[in-house]
Amino acid sequence: MLDPQGIVSSWNPGAERFKGYKAEEIIGQHFSRFYTEEDRQASVPRQALAAASDEGKYETEGWRVRKDGSQFWASVVIDPIRGEHGELLGFAKITRDITERKNAQEALRQSQEQFRLLVQGVTDYAIFMLDPTGRVTNWNSGAERMKGYAAAEIIGQHFSRFYTDEDRAADVPNRALRTAGREGRIEMEGWRVRQDGRRFWANVVIDAIRDETGGLIGFGKVTRDITEQRQAQKALEEAREALFQAQKMEAVGQLTGGVAHDFNNLLQIISSSLEAVEQRLAAGQITVGQHMAAARTAVDRAASLTQRLLAFARRQPLKPEYTNLNALVPGMRDLVQNSVGEAVQVEMRLSEGLWPIRVDANQVESALLNLAINARDAMPDGGRLVFETSNIRMSKADVASESGVAPGDYVMLAVTDTGNGMTPDVLSRAFEPFFTTKPVGQGTGLGLSQVYGFARQSDGCVRLESEVGRGTSVKLYLPRYHGAEEMRLVPQSAPEPQTLVAGAVLVVEDEAILRMLLVEVLEEQGYTVLEAESGNAALPLITSAERIDLLVTDVGLPGINGRQLAEMARSLRPDLKVLFLTGYAYTAMDREVLGPGTELLSKPIPIDRFCSRVRRMLQGS
């Protein structure tokens, strides 16, 4: 207790404990001695009593001084004590030592300030907060630099303004918040828009922020501009794909001799069969089935070889898919045999129950062909080339020397020859790009490096074993695929009715003999047939009043090509159906872009299949 002038009149054990004075030492002394020298000079004690007297209560915090001179942070409450008639009798003063709380609050304040300075000092990341509805509540300097908005311009605005029109129309911003709120976090990449309208490719992380009770109070959002990294990655992928395509084309060049030899044999079979048929018919004999069957078999073999060669050579996007090497490797046998020649015996040793893998099948074929060509060059006098598959479990010790390769289940594909083998110094450099022991003009040195790159891109590895005079074995280890098989089911179609369908067909084909055969077949089926030898020659028919229900056109026409002709025809005749004929390889992607009322057949085309397709298209099914 204090009297009206501030003299201490009572003192409890708590005051003695944290201020250090015994009652007899302090009673009768002025309470200002507990204040710091600065506060006394500023008349803070006197002002505190005056405020308590005038306002009925005085409450504050500040530094106070113990008997030993040490200071503590105090919470102080002073209440006036009045008599029955309102006269001031003195003051009741309650003091609490809250130094620890003060220190904790100061530490928290300093931590928050340091964090604020850290966030504000980060200029490569946009770091800001959103309220639960997605409105911006704070904004760092990195966000201003990256997105172009000053804090005053953007705080209170919805964060969706950073998204593209397409993303806003698809409700991407709100869906992102819902996902973050539900799962606690979302990470995504996409185009974002700066204040000046320019776009940049962003990596975005949104974290949900919750209070102690689990209630959602907002979101923390971190954005990085990774446009340059994306462009660099895209350039690297394009360069890698171009290198891969160049290596494929080199392999095709290496194949030319073998393919020409095989085609000459097939042409000989066809030519001899036709001559035999002519001779028998001239002699009045009609038993020509054996010779016709031989010619048809040769045509089928040539068509299969051409399609595989074209599919292999064409530029295609690399696409990992479910693959079983026991199905893929045997399909390469003809191309491999053509590339190595008759002096090399090709063997297949395929392990039963082979695990599936997920790789780009086109890359596997390219790797096999490159290895086959290397093996052929290592066996100038002939030899044996063995393709082998098996399941392998690799331990940590097995992959210890392979950086980035995890232990686990792998499928091994080995290509082994009985050729010259490699010396240790050649073996040590075999995977280096552009390293080759072949004479100038006979190899780029990209074959084994391409195989190595393919294996590593597929999360696998490749190992090389070779001994001079005993041959070489290249072993690819590709990780087992544990996903479900990607089935490609072909619907079974019921036999088509052979009813005649009326209609007018325009046939556009620059190969005169083929055009003649197609026209003749269609006329025998009862169709009205128009014909033209080129896209330019077909235009007058397209623009005339002639009835045309179906356009049958080669894709690779001179001048106006088949696709251009079809577009012009469709602009004049929107309901016109189009059947493309092509001598090139095509993929499922080609079929997808054809559109309704448009189909494609690859040459050579069996006549019955051609007639069936024409009939089906004219029926509108």
Side-chain angles (χ1 to χ4, degrees):
M1 300 285 292
L2 307 176
D3 69 10
Q5 286 72 43
I7 302 299
V8 178
S9 56
S10 72
W11 192 251
N12 81 333
E16 180 178 338
R17 182 183 63 81
F18 65 75
K19 293 194 179 182
Y21 296 96
K22 294 184 179 300
E24 58 270 21
E25 294 178 290
I26 200 65
I27 290 176
Q29 302 295 319
H30 198 272
F31 85 111
S32 61
R33 70 187 309 165
F34 310 134
Y35 284 70
T36 64
E37 183 63 29
E38 298 86 350
D39 284 350
R40 286 199 296 271
Q41 291 181 359
S43 300
V44 171
R46 181 182 59 79
Q47 294 170 3
L49 295 185
S53 177
D54 293 342
E55 299 174 12
K57 185 172 187 175
Y58 177 77
E59 190 170 358
T60 189
E61 291 183 5
W63 290 111
R64 296 295 181 266
V65 183
R66 296 187 175 93
K67 178 182 177 181
D68 61 9
S70 62
Q71 296 187 359
F72 65 97
W73 189 261
S75 168
V76 177
V77 178
I78 302 176
D79 288 291
I81 301 173
R82 298 186 180 276
E84 295 180 1
H85 305 292
E87 68 276 18
L88 183 63
L89 302 178
F91 299 92
K93 187 171 182 293
I94 300 174
T95 303
R96 287 188 300 140
D97 183 350
I98 59 170
T99 307
E100 289 186 3
R101 189 178 76 181
K102 168 68 174 176
N103 291 339
Q105 289 176 338
E106 179 62 20
L108 177 61
R109 187 195 65 78
Q110 290 180 358
S111 174
Q112 291 174 333
E113 179 64 14
Q114 288 174 349
F115 182 73
R116 186 189 68 81
L117 293 174
L118 172 64
V119 170
Q120 285 299 324
V122 173
T123 58
D124 290 336
Y125 291 73
I127 304 173
F128 54 98
M129 303 283 291
L130 307 175
D131 69 12
T133 68
R135 298 193 177 278
V136 179
T137 58
N138 61 34
W139 193 247
N140 82 326
S141 57
E144 180 173 345
R145 185 190 66 83
M146 184 184 302
K147 303 197 177 188
Y149 297 93
E153 297 176 288
I154 202 64
I155 289 178
Q157 302 295 317
H158 199 272
F159 85 112
S160 60
R161 72 187 308 165
F162 311 135
Y163 286 69
T164 64
D165 292 338
E166 308 92 271
D167 282 351
R168 284 198 297 271
D171 201 33
V172 172
N174 290 322
R175 285 193 286 116
L177 290 190
R178 287 195 293 270
T179 301
R182 182 177 63 254
E183 301 180 7
R185 175 187 175 90
I186 184 173
E187 184 169 359
M188 58 199 301
E189 290 187 5
W191 290 112
R192 296 295 182 268
V193 184
R194 306 187 205 275
Q195 186 185 36
D196 59 11
R198 291 181 297 124
R199 294 187 176 193
F200 65 99
W201 190 261
N203 171 269
V204 177
V205 177
I206 303 177
D207 285 287
I209 300 174
R210 300 184 179 277
D211 60 20
E212 294 177 354
T213 65
L216 182 67
I217 59 175
F219 300 92
K221 192 167 183 293
V222 179
T223 302
R224 284 190 303 143
D225 182 349
I226 58 171
T227 308
E228 291 185 2
Q229 296 96 308
R230 182 173 184 266
Q231 290 172 342
Q233 180 63 29
K234 187 176 180 181
L236 179 61
E237 290 172 357
E238 289 174 352
R240 183 181 294 137
E241 186 174 341
L243 183 63
F244 173 57
Q245 183 67 16
Q247 181 59 29
K248 284 203 302 180
M249 296 313 297
E250 182 193 1
V252 170
Q254 296 274 5
L255 273 173
T256 303
V259 171
H261 174 268
D262 205 38
F263 260 98
N264 282 334
N265 287 337
L266 295 173
L267 291 173
Q268 182 64 55
I269 295 171
I270 297 169
S271 175
S272 298
S273 297
L274 290 176
E275 288 181 13
V277 169
E278 288 177 346
Q279 292 171 0
R280 285 177 174 265
L281 291 177
Q285 300 179 21
I286 59 173
T287 55
V288 296
Q290 179 181 359
H291 301 290
M292 295 301 295
R296 177 176 290 278
T297 299
V299 169
D300 291 343
R301 283 178 56 195
S304 175
L305 182 59
T306 303
Q307 285 300 317
R308 181 167 286 277
L309 192 61
L310 288 170
F312 175 78
R314 68 175 286 163
R315 181 179 296 275
Q316 302 180 60
L318 304 182
K319 179 183 177 184
E321 58 187 358
Y322 177 95
T323 303
N324 190 301
L325 292 181
N326 280 358
L328 185 147
V329 173
M332 289 290 294
R333 185 167 194 145
D334 288 343
L335 279 182
V336 168
Q337 190 68 69
N338 283 326
S339 69
V340 299
E342 296 177 356
V344 176
Q345 177 186 352
V346 178
E347 295 182 12
M348 300 280 176
R349 300 176 185 174
L350 308 179
S351 176
E352 294 184 1
L354 195 70
W355 294 325
I357 57 176
R358 184 177 177 83
V359 296
D360 187 280
N362 199 243
Q363 283 190 307
V364 176
E365 292 179 343
S366 179
L368 287 177
L369 200 53
N370 278 313
L371 295 175
I373 291 169
N374 284 349
R376 177 201 65 188
D377 294 343
M379 298 184 289
D381 299 323
R384 188 170 68 255
L385 180 62
V386 180
F387 291 84
E388 181 183 0
T389 61
S390 64
N391 296 328
I392 299 290
R393 284 190 170 88
M394 300 179 72
S395 66
K396 287 185 178 180
D398 294 329
V399 299
S401 61
E402 305 285 351
S403 175
V405 178
D409 293 343
Y410 288 80
V411 174
M412 184 197 73
L413 171 60
V415 180
T416 305
D417 64 60
T418 57
N420 298 328
M422 303 181 193
T423 61
D425 59 322
V426 171
L427 185 63
S428 66
R429 301 185 61 191
F431 291 128
E432 293 180 16
F434 305 107
F435 173 75
T436 180
T437 58
K438 297 176 184 178
V440 175
Q442 294 187 21
T444 61
L446 293 174
L448 282 176
S449 66
Q450 184 266 330
V451 173
Y452 176 84
F454 154 64
R456 297 312 300 263
Q457 289 169 24
S458 303
D459 296 325
C461 62
V462 58
R463 292 176 178 174
L464 195 58
E465 300 172 2
S466 188
E467 186 176 343
V468 174
R470 298 183 64 107
T472 300
S473 181
V474 182
K475 297 180 179 180
L476 283 81
Y477 296 87
L478 303 171
R480 177 183 182 181
Y481 177 55
H482 293 278
E485 181 174 354
E486 299 167 6
M487 300 296 291
R488 292 173 176 80
L489 299 179
V490 179
Q492 298 293 324
S493 56
E496 295 187 26
Q498 298 300 312
T499 55
L500 294 179
V501 180
V505 182
L506 171 59
V507 177
V508 187
E509 171 60 61
D510 59 320
E511 183 62 51
I513 297 176
L514 177 56
R515 186 173 70 252
M516 176 197 72
L517 291 172
L518 294 177
V519 169
E520 182 178 297
V521 166
L522 290 173
E523 288 179 338
E524 288 177 353
Q525 296 290 316
Y527 300 112
T528 301
V529 184
L530 306 173
E531 61 178 296
E533 72 276 9
S534 67
N536 299 73
L539 279 180
L541 296 172
I542 294 293
T543 57
S544 71
E546 290 278 0
R547 175 185 173 184
I548 303 174
D549 300 304
L550 173 66
L551 169 64
V552 177
T553 178
D554 185 24
V555 175
L557 294 172
I560 299 174
N561 65 40
R563 289 185 184 273
Q564 293 169 333
L565 177 64
E567 289 177 4
M568 295 177 184
R570 282 268 177 81
S571 67
L572 297 171
R573 302 168 182 257
D575 297 328
L576 180 67
K577 295 181 173 62
V578 178
L579 175 58
F580 285 117
L581 310 180
T582 179
Y584 295 94
Y586 60 86
T587 65
M589 185 182 299
D590 296 318
R591 288 191 175 279
E592 291 173 4
V593 300
L594 291 177
T598 307
E599 297 200 28
L600 181 147
L601 289 175
S602 183
K603 300 174 184 176
I605 311 161
I607 291 300
D608 57 350
R609 186 181 178 199
F610 171 72
C611 292
S612 174
R613 187 64 57 88
V614 168
R615 181 169 55 252
R616 191 180 73 188
M617 293 184 72
L618 288 175
Q619 284 176 331
S621 62

